[in-house]
Amino acid sequence: MRRSLLFILLLFFCYSTYSQETALKGIVINSATKQPIDGVSVSLRNADQVTITASDGSFFFDKLSPGGEFVVFSSPDVTTKEMKVNILNDMVNDLGMIPVVSGVRNLLSEGSLILIDEENINEAGGDQSDYNVSSLMISSNDVYLSNSAYDFSAMRFKVRGYENRYVDSYINGVNFSDPERGGFSYGMVGGLNDATRSKDIVNAMESSSYTYSQVGGASNINAHAGNYAPGGKVSVAYTNRSYKLRGSALYSTGMQPNGWAFTGSVAYRWADEGFIDGTFYNSLAGFFAVEKLLNPSHKLSLTAFAAPTQRGQSSAAPQQLMDIKGHYYNSYWGYQNGEKRNSRVVTTMEPSAILSHTWTIDKNSKLTTGLGYRYSKYGSTALARYNAYDPRPDYYRNLPGYKDTPELQESYAVAWLVDPTINQVDWNEMYQYNYNVKSLNLGSAFIVEERHNDQMNLSLNSTFNTKLTERITFTAGLEARTTKGMHYKTVSDLLGGDYFLNINQFEQRNSGKGSPALRYDLNNPDTTAIEGDRFGYDYDIHVNSANVWLQNTHRYNKWDINYGFKIGFTEFYRTGHMRNGLAPDNSYGEGAHHSFIDQSAKLGIAYKISGRHILSGNVSYTTQPPLPYNAYLSPRVKDTPIPNMENENIFAADLSYNISTPILRGRITAFQTNFYDQARMYNMYSDADGTFVNYALTGINKIHRGFELGMEVKVNSNLSFTAIGTLSEYYYSNRPTGTLSAENGSISDRSETVYLKNFYVSGTPQTAGALGAHYFYNYWFFDLTLSGFNRTYIDPSPIKRTESAISKITANSNEELEKKIEIATNQEKFAGGTTLDFSIGKMFRIQRKYTLNVNLQFCNILNNEDLKSGGYEYNRIDLDDASSNKFPSYYYYAQGFNCFLNAGFRF
């Protein structure tokens, strides 16, 4: 069978042979884990040649002169190693496995580097566009990516402005990205830093041994039990971020003589209150892996983990409230009987398991297969009401700026400053209100509801790797996934009442009492809900997908060439569990199936000017199906897809100059990515229509382009400097279509042009840079980094950039009208700023077999609290005075001074 497989491969790929010549090859591995290491610079001192190890740790030099040679292995992640070898003539000199030691700098800094930092991400269930892509790149050997992950994290920096959906995330070679929303659920492995530290990173469109990868690259967490060094580690940490204390422990047997390996880890994170008022954190995580070497050719591995977490959320806020209450004002909490209570509490539990099999066919070929299972339980609470006032303190009618006169605004601002019943959630008032209506035999006017976005996912990945020759590597893969997303709402707390009326209160304004249109579920005669009952909506989204891909890599003296192809199939459909009165014939049962064929092709070429100077370029064209999350107008009500639903198209290209000398290494890159036919869904309350609406933006075209710089200067073995930066622009390049769908059915779905052309993409600085100094001496490590940010923009409201919205603005003259329109539609640019970070670490060796690492990290030590890290516009315009502050924008601010102290003991 193997011969047949190779014969088929020969029909598709050029199988080249080479004459006998003088060459040198080897494989670089981690001395502790015995795993191959990619991205290590291998240089021949006498021949003045340099190459980089491939994904399997291999390297190859040819056309060499026989005789003595010095081979140097170097990387930021390993301790530099030098070997003296004698190269024999007319043969391939094989150095075999070359073990290298993880760098001291890594060991010193590892405790202080929060690989998955909850301050910079939004976990599952939130808007995927808010995810922080750079946190995937922390393990990269690339100077720009590895440093930007930390230096720019305060501003939620996104590499090339990409959303997280354009980065594939794997664990043990199995894809764990979310098929519904895109992106990766960081909460799944939250706190398991030591267990998930080892990563294989694919930058942008480069080739890989485990995935085809998207334009944003890919990350694979290596969590096989045999991948961990024997021994254990315990660590404790203090921080003043979203949690205060963290404790963790890990122990691994390593691969034992009997062929078994076991690894286990536990972690706990806690805060009674985070750095933002009213938040809290409570998380326990567990990890277990076992691996069995059946024989030299076959290996089985089982890895399982879970991280149940409960945390209180924080809100964005308008500037007028931040001026009164501070930049970190949180509107989600209030006092209940003298204790703080948060109305927005997220509870997650995502038990996952991966069964993997590795078949080493021969020394050049390997087949890796993995089956992954994940069951995600995600719930987020919020206040709900029926026939009562809006209890949110930051509801626009409660803001000082909404008042009509300066005197009222000033007096209300004073009340906001001192009165907690105004500036925070008034729990006691809601309980009292419910008590009053309860005496009238009425249901609760206020409740706490919980919105569930659960998911069950099964994924199969199989990857075949082989070396056709020393120059040619072939990789092919198969992926199949099936997912069921379960979306529903339950009553979490009746706040002292007996029941909650389960009808559409917004539709009641149109249809009146008794109308079938009021009913969320015509199949259920009961219109009341008690704690634990499902109400409002209940539906599933099913996603089935499969793809096959292949990549070929050729390595020559002056050229490296890689190319790849992928073709895939995706199908999704909705199943409703409630027959909604607004759509009785289009809400219950299995809905229409939507199918898409997607494909991709990519090409990468590197020209080696010399062993130390390389020009490289990549180009790709990809189509991919719309995310199911963005595919329905009102999925909670009906099975109606967005108009003109089609594949998204992506064209991407980059060109880099790479340098690697004993003193200077890094790259300069120019890039451009064009996105066509994107879709995005907004959920909002429309005051103009008097109801909750879903707003689908379709046919979105965007351009992301710019330059990246990442350089490291090594002055000597102790001192080095880094310089990184990006100068880029990400903007909308057309006028997409907006379709509004009211959930109460009060108006027909309507579509119109949205004037977003030349508006900037929000969510990340488009200009950023950092200068860092790094000093190591006698197991002491010091870091000092100055980072700067500029050109961050607010997320523009599409509904405000339409003719229907602008046409409602009134004015006494054309000049006044133009001025009002400009004020109402102008996109706000945030002020730039800087942060200064400092860290210090020390390693203590105890009896030559134990180590103690102590790390202290100070971030934003100048306490710059004026950096807006994000924000969005309110979806309404004051028609009489567009410059008023009645409907202000909402903002997030980067945290001021914060620190992280960690102590880790290895044994």
Side-chain angles (χ1 to χ4, degrees):
M1 178 178 178
R2 177 172 165 266
R3 291 183 178 180
S4 299
L5 177 61
L6 289 177
F7 178 75
I8 294 173
L9 295 179
L10 289 175
L11 296 178
F12 289 96
F13 302 99
C14 175
Y15 187 105
S16 66
T17 61
Y18 56 94
S19 58
Q20 192 77 350
E21 58 185 342
T22 304
L24 181 70
K25 70 175 184 178
I27 298 176
V28 178
I29 63 172
N30 187 301
S31 61
T33 66
K34 311 304 180 186
Q35 296 298 309
I37 306 177
D38 65 342
V40 176
S41 174
V42 185
S43 61
L44 304 181
R45 182 180 298 173
N46 296 337
D48 193 24
Q49 292 190 36
V50 177
T51 190
I52 302 296
T53 58
S55 57
D56 61 354
S58 65
F59 64 90
F60 182 78
F61 296 99
D62 62 355
K63 294 185 178 180
L64 300 178
S65 300
E69 181 62 87
F70 291 93
V71 187
V72 181
F73 305 89
S74 61
S75 162
D77 297 327
V78 302
T79 301
T80 300
K81 179 174 183 173
E82 185 172 312
M83 293 176 59
K84 184 178 180 179
V85 299
N86 184 34
I87 299 176
L88 303 179
N89 194 29
D90 292 333
M91 66 176 295
V92 177
N93 296 262
D94 190 353
L95 299 181
M97 303 289 185
I98 302 108
V100 295
V101 179
S102 181
V104 175
R105 174 174 171 177
N106 265 0
L107 294 174
L108 287 173
S109 60
E110 65 180 14
S112 62
L113 302 181
I114 301 180
L115 299 188
I116 299 170
D117 193 344
E118 287 76 4
E119 290 76 48
N120 301 316
I121 62 170
N122 187 1
E123 291 182 0
D127 184 351
Q128 298 293 326
S129 65
D130 289 338
Y131 278 32
N132 183 7
V133 174
S134 65
S135 56
L136 285 177
M137 303 302 183
I138 289 172
S139 294
S140 174
N141 287 317
D142 183 273
V143 175
Y144 173 77
L145 292 177
S146 60
N147 284 278
S148 64
Y150 300 112
D151 299 342
F152 302 156
S153 62
M155 292 293 288
R156 307 184 183 207
F157 180 75
K158 299 176 183 177
V159 175
R160 300 187 183 180
Y162 296 153
E163 297 173 9
N164 200 40
R165 62 170 294 193
Y166 299 109
V167 178
D168 286 326
S169 300
Y170 293 76
I171 302 177
N172 288 356
V174 176
N175 194 342
F176 273 85
S177 298
D178 188 336
E180 270 195 273
R181 294 170 173 254
F184 179 70
S185 174
Y186 292 87
M188 180 167 49
V189 292
L192 297 171
N193 296 43
D194 294 318
T196 59
R197 187 173 301 279
S198 176
K199 292 185 178 70
D200 294 325
I201 302 298
V202 182
N203 300 340
M205 297 162 278
E206 295 179 356
S207 61
S208 163
S209 64
Y210 62 89
T211 179
Y212 180 84
S213 82
Q214 296 195 68
V215 292
S219 170
N220 179 48
I221 296 174
N222 298 312
H224 299 285
N227 192 49
Y228 299 86
K233 178 186 176 183
V234 293
S235 66
V236 293
Y238 166 81
T239 180
N240 64 337
R241 300 172 182 174
S242 60
Y243 56 83
K244 291 181 178 179
L245 298 175
R246 185 187 74 187
S248 64
L250 180 142
Y251 184 79
S252 179
T253 63
M255 186 59 70
Q256 301 177 95
N258 61 3
W260 286 94
F262 299 89
T263 300
S265 180
V266 293
Y268 183 66
R269 294 168 295 165
W270 171 87
D272 56 347
E273 186 169 63
F275 83 94
I276 294 180
D277 287 347
T279 62
F280 64 90
Y281 213 100
N282 193 11
S283 176
L284 176 66
F287 171 94
F288 177 76
V290 58
E291 190 168 18
K292 172 60 176 175
L293 185 62
L294 303 176
N295 55 50
S297 298
H298 294 274
K299 182 169 56 177
L300 278 176
S301 172
L302 177 65
T303 300
F305 48 87
T309 300
Q310 190 173 65
R311 57 186 176 88
Q313 292 186 296
S314 60
S315 67
Q319 190 62 50
Q320 57 182 277
L321 297 188
M322 292 181 172
D323 291 339
I324 298 171
K325 299 294 293 180
H327 287 168
Y328 308 112
Y329 166 70
N330 181 12
S331 65
Y332 289 159
W333 68 274
Y335 287 102
Q336 180 181 338
N337 298 326
E339 300 290 334
K340 290 182 179 180
R341 179 179 178 181
N342 196 309
S343 63
R344 296 290 188 99
V345 176
V346 169
T347 303
T348 61
M349 173 69 169
E350 301 184 64
S352 306
I354 308 162
L355 179 64
S356 304
H357 173 258
T358 302
W359 177 21
T360 303
I361 302 171
D362 56 33
K363 67 177 183 178
N364 291 323
S365 303
K366 182 172 66 173
L367 178 67
T368 304
T369 303
L371 183 66
Y373 176 80
R374 177 174 69 101
Y375 192 91
S376 172
K377 296 285 290 182
Y378 177 94
S380 177
T381 63
L383 294 175
R385 60 192 172 96
Y386 175 74
N387 198 24
Y389 64 89
D390 196 316
R392 296 172 299 170
D394 61 344
Y395 178 53
Y396 73 89
R397 293 180 181 273
N398 299 333
L399 303 182
Y402 186 79
K403 307 308 174 184
D404 294 328
T405 66
E407 292 77 16
L408 281 175
Q409 293 176 5
E410 183 177 354
S411 63
Y412 211 70
V414 173
W416 254 91
L417 180 64
V418 299
D419 191 347
T421 64
I422 293 176
N423 58 41
Q424 301 296 161
V425 175
D426 194 344
W427 292 100
N428 295 332
E429 173 62 22
M430 286 189 290
Y431 270 93
Q432 183 61 48
Y433 196 103
N434 282 347
Y435 177 79
N436 293 338
V437 298
K438 182 178 180 179
S439 63
L440 302 175
N441 295 320
L442 299 176
S444 292
F446 302 101
I447 67 166
V448 175
E449 65 180 20
E450 186 166 14
R451 302 160 186 171
H452 299 263
N453 292 302
D454 301 344
Q455 190 178 98
M456 183 169 57
N457 177 267
L458 185 66
S459 299
L460 171 70
N461 284 80
S462 187
T463 307
F464 174 70
N465 295 273
T466 186
K467 275 190 175 182
L468 300 179
T469 72
E470 292 296 343
R471 299 180 183 276
I472 303 176
T473 301
F474 172 73
T475 306
L478 165 69
E479 178 178 296
R481 311 183 73 191
T482 181
T483 299
K484 178 182 178 182
M486 296 154 278
H487 309 277
Y488 56 96
K489 190 165 60 171
T490 60
V491 178
S492 178
D493 191 340
L494 288 169
L495 301 182
D498 291 328
Y499 64 89
F500 188 66
L501 196 58
N502 184 21
I503 63 172
N504 191 330
Q505 62 174 308
F506 299 112
E507 173 58 21
Q508 188 173 3
R509 304 171 184 174
N510 302 317
S511 303
K513 295 182 178 180
S515 170
L518 300 177
R519 302 281 295 277
Y520 286 120
D521 188 6
L522 295 175
N523 295 338
N524 183 4
D526 190 3
T527 59
T528 63
I530 61 175
E531 290 180 5
D533 284 354
R534 298 189 182 194
F535 77 105
Y537 61 87
D538 185 3
Y539 67 94
D540 300 333
I541 297 292
H542 301 263
V543 187
N544 301 309
S545 64
N547 67 73
V548 292
W549 56 272
L550 55 88
Q551 292 178 147
N552 214 17
T553 301
H554 297 248
R555 297 178 182 270
Y556 300 102
N557 294 333
K558 283 292 186 179
W559 297 90
D560 286 348
I561 301 173
N562 71 82
Y563 50 87
F565 308 94
K566 182 175 77 167
I567 185 167
F569 170 80
T570 300
E571 174 195 64
F572 58 81
Y573 60 94
R574 175 189 180 276
T575 299
H577 300 296
M578 292 184 177
R579 188 182 301 277
N580 195 291
L582 292 172
D585 300 323
N586 190 32
S587 56
Y588 183 75
E590 185 173 310
H593 288 228
H594 307 280
S595 302
F596 301 87
I597 300 293
D598 56 277
Q599 54 273 324
S600 177
K602 65 181 180 180
L603 172 67
I605 299 177
Y607 173 67
K608 305 167 189 176
I609 302 172
S610 70
R612 302 189 183 281
H613 303 272
I614 301 174
L615 286 177
S616 62
N618 298 281
V619 62
S620 72
Y621 182 78
T622 302
T623 68
Q624 60 184 51
L627 290 174
Y629 176 74
N630 294 322
Y632 295 92
L633 284 179
S634 296
R636 287 173 287 197
V637 175
K638 56 189 177 182
D639 183 49
T640 302
I642 60 177
N644 304 315
M645 186 164 58
E646 58 184 334
N647 271 332
E648 178 182 343
N649 298 270
I650 307 169
F651 172 80
D654 63 32
L655 180 64
S656 299
Y657 164 66
N658 305 268
I659 184 171
S660 179
T661 72
I663 297 176
L664 179 65
R665 73 174 191 93
R667 66 172 170 90
I668 301 174
T669 299
F671 68 89
Q672 177 156 329
T673 306
N674 290 22
F675 298 95
Y676 303 98
D677 301 316
Q678 286 186 325
R680 182 178 175 184
M681 182 64 65
Y682 296 81
N683 311 114
M684 65 191 76
Y685 183 84
S686 172
D687 289 286
D689 299 299
T691 186
F692 191 87
V693 302
N694 298 292
Y695 197 82
L697 206 59
T698 57
I700 304 170
N701 295 347
K702 295 191 301 185
I703 293 177
H704 291 223
R705 62 187 179 189
F707 299 91
E708 296 169 340
L709 167 70
M711 289 290 173
E712 181 181 48
V713 179
K714 192 171 183 179
V715 178
N716 53 45
S717 59
N718 301 110
L719 179 64
S720 64
F721 296 92
T722 55
I724 64 170
T726 183
L727 180 62
S728 52
E729 59 179 7
Y730 321 129
Y731 62 94
Y732 297 90
S733 58
N734 75 324
R735 294 172 176 174
T737 299
T739 301
L740 183 145
S741 179
E743 290 212 350
N744 70 347
S746 59
I747 56 175
S748 300
D749 296 347
R750 64 170 186 258
S751 299
E752 58 186 333
T753 299
V754 179
Y755 293 88
L756 279 181
K757 186 175 182 179
N758 296 325
F759 277 72
Y760 290 101
V761 175
S762 66
T764 184
Q766 301 198 16
T767 299
L771 296 174
H774 317 281
Y775 185 73
F776 165 73
Y777 177 75
N778 192 27
Y779 295 104
W780 283 93
F781 184 78
F782 304 87
D783 260 337
L784 182 66
T785 304
L786 177 66
S787 304
F789 313 94
N790 201 3
R791 298 177 56 242
T792 305
Y793 296 88
I794 199 167
D795 191 14
S797 167
I799 204 170
K800 293 173 66 174
R801 272 80 186 178
T802 60
E803 287 188 10
S804 61
I806 295 173
S807 64
K808 296 176 183 179
I809 298 178
T810 59
N812 297 321
S813 65
N814 288 336
E815 182 179 355
E816 182 185 358
L817 180 61
E818 290 178 0
K819 184 177 180 180
K820 284 188 175 183
I821 292 175
E822 180 181 358
I823 293 173
T825 60
N826 185 46
Q827 185 180 17
E828 181 183 356
K829 173 187 172 184
F830 299 155
T834 60
T835 61
L836 184 64
D837 303 331
F838 174 74
S839 61
I840 179 174
K842 170 65 175 175
M843 175 192 290
F844 301 91
R845 292 193 176 273
I846 305 172
Q847 298 179 358
R848 296 186 177 181
K849 58 181 179 178
Y850 307 115
T851 61
L852 174 65
N853 293 346
V854 180
N855 317 93
L856 182 59
Q857 184 181 55
F858 299 102
C859 296
N860 197 0
I861 58 179
L862 299 181
N863 196 32
N864 183 358
E865 296 185 343
D866 295 326
L867 281 172
K868 290 179 180 176
S869 60
Y872 57 89
E873 295 177 337
Y874 197 82
N875 294 296
R876 184 173 175 179
I877 303 174
D878 188 340
L879 303 179
D880 298 322
D881 184 2
S883 63
S884 75
N885 206 20
K886 286 188 175 181
F887 310 110
S889 298
Y890 280 62
Y891 305 104
Y892 295 97
Y893 276 84
Q895 186 178 354
F897 171 77
N898 60 96
C899 63
F900 187 81
L901 173 64
N902 181 84
F905 178 70
R906 290 181 177 272
F907 56 92

